[in-house]
Amino acid sequence: MTRKIQILDTTLRDGEQSPGASMNTEEKLIVARQLIRLGVDVIEAGFPVSSPGDFRSVQEIAQLAGDDCVVCAFARAVEKDIDLAAEALKYAKRPRIHLGLGVSAVHMAEKLQISEDECVEQAVHAVKYAKRFVDDVEFFAEDAGRADQQFLLRVVQAVVDAGATVVNIPDTTGYSLPEEYGARIKSIMDNVKGIENVTVSVHAHDDLGLATALVLAGVRNGATQVECTINGLGERAGNASLEEVVMAIKMHGEALDAHTDVRTRELMRSSRLLSRITGMSVQANKAIVGANAFAHSAGIHQDGVLKSAETYQIIEPSSVGAIGSEIVLSARSGHAALQHRLAELGYSFESGEFDDVYQRFLEMADQKKEVYDEDLESMLEERSRDVAAIYTLDALQIQCGDPLVPTAVATITDEDGVRHIVSATGTGPIDASYKAIDQVVSVHGDLEEYVVKAITRGIDAIGEVVVRVKSDDGMLFTGRGANNDVVVSSAKAYVNAINRMITTQRSREGR
Ligand code: KIV
Ligand code: ZN
């Protein structure tokens, strides 16, 4: 039997640090549910001290996960962070605190302004302090990829002696070459006393496009936990991508002496879900989950694949969930058929809630004759956005054409239940509707990016719009909207971005 490699998913912590990828608690819970379905071993749910919203997300994910997986809260190696991490994890069945500090010369001298001795002392104190609250304490040695190796060994030995159960050796800046990073891990395995009783974890960023290669080099040299994110989301160029790591381990299990317990058929769905929620799509040629990952276009390739798929295909598409279900629902499908399909897709609802879901399904099926899985997923995400909304776009009426002046009349309900009917003219129908919406909402945002695409199949496909809106303090907020009418999708996306901006501002202020 090969070694079990634990998968720590940090999409909700490191991934969310990516500009424009911030998620609210409801969205994080949707992602967490999918991570549980995917079978990850550890969910890094957030950084509780960073905002009340993050604190609440960790709390709720801890309760959601139960026994299914470890839930981990991130902290700097300081008491205040650890106190809040412990508090957020209070109801977790399998809690872990992930804490640490910089260990490279540049981090200690410039960022932390501490000496090597102070660094070791702070690390040991933090691990011992966290052990008062939880048994499972993971220590991260930030910027280990550029640290002096002798000093790194000293820090790791000290935290292992202090009771750390996992040691994370991140290549924070993605600087190393894979063989160098592998050698660092080997030297830790060979030199730290008691390392056999501790999990060694690898974590790498993709600044040189090497993140997956780096963590695999770590696994080859003794690491048994990999930290990664769906779609490689994360700071700057991102983290090692979960789908790449998991599939590489699956393909080369014997050579790496490794396996994971991830349900690979859930990979595509996890990727699509995250893209929809964050608005950050993956490029078509992205490994495993890109739209072209299994497309063969050159004549020679098509000829080969028709004769034998093995000629140009190393992965069976269905093994990563790349082939959609061919079950098609329509307005004639009853409650039972919808409930059955949603259950297969992993969704369940209380009976009161299901009536609303069924109603939305009928409205969609009336407009769009054939309803595919992607339509259902899009409808449910649209519904969860509405449930969490501060402002809701109830109706939008547009008049435009040549030579008409584009005019929008929008009906918007605010969180106090007050209905506003506003109108505006603009350079086009979208501009007019955004100007109308601006008359109601309490914050100002500048539209930075606008993308429209069809997310489902057919001429009556649902058009999805993703916008990025910049707040006055320079933060980016992603908004999404889906409808058969792209002008309505555009207005919904804008309202969604504004709602996120307000939720984030309130959460920062502790409201
Ligand atoms: O990249 C990194 O070093 C991290 C740690 C702080 C765990 O994300
Ligand atoms: Zn990181």
Side-chain angles (χ1 to χ4, degrees):
M1 185 66 171
T2 53
R3 290 171 308 152
K4 155 85 191 257
I5 305 300
Q6 311 249 350
I7 296 295
L8 179 151
D9 180 276
T10 182
T11 305
L12 299 176
R13 197 277 300 169
D14 212 331
E16 208 226 1
Q17 287 172 215
S18 190
S22 69
M23 292 172 248
N24 60 35
T25 301
E26 284 68 29
E27 290 165 334
K28 286 186 181 174
L29 282 165
I30 296 174
V31 174
R33 253 181 230 116
Q34 178 58 25
L35 291 174
I36 293 169
R37 213 177 286 143
L38 181 62
V40 304
D41 301 282
V42 186
I43 296 179
E44 182 155 62
F47 183 15
V49 81
S50 68
S51 73
D54 242 40
F55 180 90
R56 191 177 137 225
S57 303
V58 175
Q59 245 182 351
E60 297 207 5
I61 292 169
Q63 289 176 45
L64 170 84
D67 278 328
D68 288 339
C69 61
V70 171
V71 176
C72 165
F74 185 80
R76 290 165 301 180
V78 293
E79 291 188 4
K80 179 179 73 168
D81 286 28
I82 298 169
D83 287 341
L84 275 182
E87 175 70 22
L89 290 170
K90 201 151 109 195
Y91 300 107
K93 290 254 172 57
R94 298 169 63 194
R96 174 184 296 176
I97 296 178
H98 183 194
L99 60 87
L101 78 172
V103 301
S104 64
V106 64
H107 274 235
M108 287 185 290
E110 308 294 334
K111 186 177 90 169
L112 303 168
Q113 298 177 342
I114 54 174
S115 65
E116 288 191 346
D117 288 350
E118 285 166 329
C119 176
V120 175
E121 201 180 303
Q122 191 175 335
V124 168
H125 175 74
V127 170
K128 288 190 174 159
Y129 187 74
K131 292 287 273 190
R132 295 189 199 168
F133 303 104
V134 294
D135 290 335
D136 193 2
V137 174
E138 171 166 349
F139 175 81
F140 67 81
E142 192 179 10
D143 204 17
R146 293 187 298 167
D148 173 78
Q149 183 65 10
Q150 287 313 309
F151 180 62
L152 180 61
L153 290 174
R154 181 178 159 206
V155 177
V156 173
Q157 185 67 66
V159 296
V160 168
D161 293 344
T165 43
V166 184
V167 286
N168 172 15
I169 313 297
D171 190 6
T172 303
T173 58
Y175 169 77
S176 311
L177 290 172
E179 25 323 353
E180 285 167 5
Y181 184 67
R184 275 190 191 273
I185 301 298
K186 181 164 182 349
S187 143
I188 288 170
M189 304 307 299
D190 290 346
N191 294 297
V192 173
K193 290 193 202 70
I195 200 73
E196 62 285 1
N197 304 318
V198 170
T199 301
V200 173
S201 184
V202 281
H203 177 126
H205 283 261
D206 210 28
D207 299 66
L208 293 174
L210 293 172
T212 300
L214 287 165
V215 295
L216 291 176
V219 167
R220 200 181 262 284
N221 284 282
T224 51
Q225 178 178 281
V226 177
E227 309 196 356
C228 41
T229 58
I230 304 290
N231 295 344
L233 192 70
E235 281 282 354
R236 305 182 309 281
N239 286 67
S241 116
L242 183 146
E243 53 279 5
E244 292 173 16
V245 171
V246 164
M247 289 312 290
I249 291 178
K250 188 167 174 166
M251 301 259 94
H252 295 286
E254 290 300 320
L256 292 167
D257 179 25
H259 70 273
T260 75
D261 285 343
V262 167
R263 295 178 197 104
T264 59
R265 283 177 194 273
E266 292 290 330
L267 287 171
M268 193 57 110
R269 177 149 28 134
S270 308
S271 164
R272 285 204 314 250
L273 177 79
L274 188 72
S275 292
R276 276 201 296 272
I277 287 184
T278 59
M280 299 182 74
S281 309
V282 293
Q283 78 269 23
N285 60 330
K286 164 85 176 66
I288 320 293
V289 292
N292 292 348
F294 301 103
H296 304 277
S297 100
I300 298 174
H301 286 215
Q302 287 178 347
D303 179 52
V305 168
L306 287 173
K307 288 177 177 142
S308 162
E310 260 178 63
T311 50
Y312 289 102
Q313 198 165 274
I314 58 165
I315 296 169
E316 167 60 42
S318 62
S319 72
V320 299
I323 304 259
S325 143
E326 281 314 315
I327 294 192
V328 184
L329 298 177
S330 72
R332 290 181 305 283
S333 308
H335 278 70
L338 177 64
Q339 206 152 21
H340 178 74
R341 188 66 204 135
L342 289 177
E344 280 179 347
L345 291 172
Y347 297 95
S348 63
F349 299 92
E350 308 285 320
S351 63
E353 258 189 316
F354 184 73
D355 291 343
D356 174 54
V357 171
Y358 188 67
Q359 203 47 45
R360 286 171 185 256
F361 162 73
L362 285 184
E363 280 164 25
M364 179 169 64
D366 269 348
Q367 294 177 34
K368 191 178 186 304
K369 286 173 193 58
E370 297 182 323
V371 178
Y372 295 88
D373 289 353
E374 306 97 277
D375 297 309
L376 293 175
E377 286 171 350
S378 158
M379 173 193 82
L380 292 176
E381 277 146 33
E382 191 68 21
R383 178 177 179 271
S384 69
R385 280 195 283 268
D386 289 351
V387 170
I390 292 167
Y391 293 105
T392 311
L393 181 75
D394 298 323
L396 184 70
Q397 212 179 310
I398 297 288
Q399 204 179 23
C400 64
D402 194 5
L404 291 180
V405 176
T407 309
V409 181
T411 308
I412 298 168
T413 305
D414 66 25
E415 59 189 325
D416 300 320
V418 179
R419 263 181 125 206
H420 306 260
I421 301 180
V422 280
S423 64
T425 55
T427 52
I430 296 171
D431 184 49
S433 42
Y434 283 21
K435 286 194 171 126
I437 293 163
D438 280 341
Q439 293 174 33
V440 178
V441 299
S442 59
V443 290
H444 169 255
D446 286 322
L447 185 66
E448 292 278 307
E449 207 177 307
Y450 174 96
V451 180
V452 60
K453 65 173 186 185
I455 39 172
T456 59
R457 293 171 257 182
I459 186 74
D460 51 2
I462 290 182
E464 185 182 53
V465 170
V466 179
V467 294
R468 272 182 222 288
V469 175
K470 200 184 221 169
S471 61
D472 289 340
D473 60 0
M475 273 186 82
L476 277 178
F477 295 90
T478 303
R480 312 176 73 88
N483 195 277
N484 294 74
D485 180 326
V486 287
V487 181
V488 177
S489 306
S490 307
K492 284 186 163 205
Y494 186 59
V495 172
N496 181 233
I498 294 287
N499 283 335
R500 282 156 167 269
M501 191 187 291
I502 298 172
T503 316
T504 306
Q505 286 170 355
R506 285 184 185 172
S507 142
R508 282 219 234 114
E509 291 160 10
R511 284 194 278 149

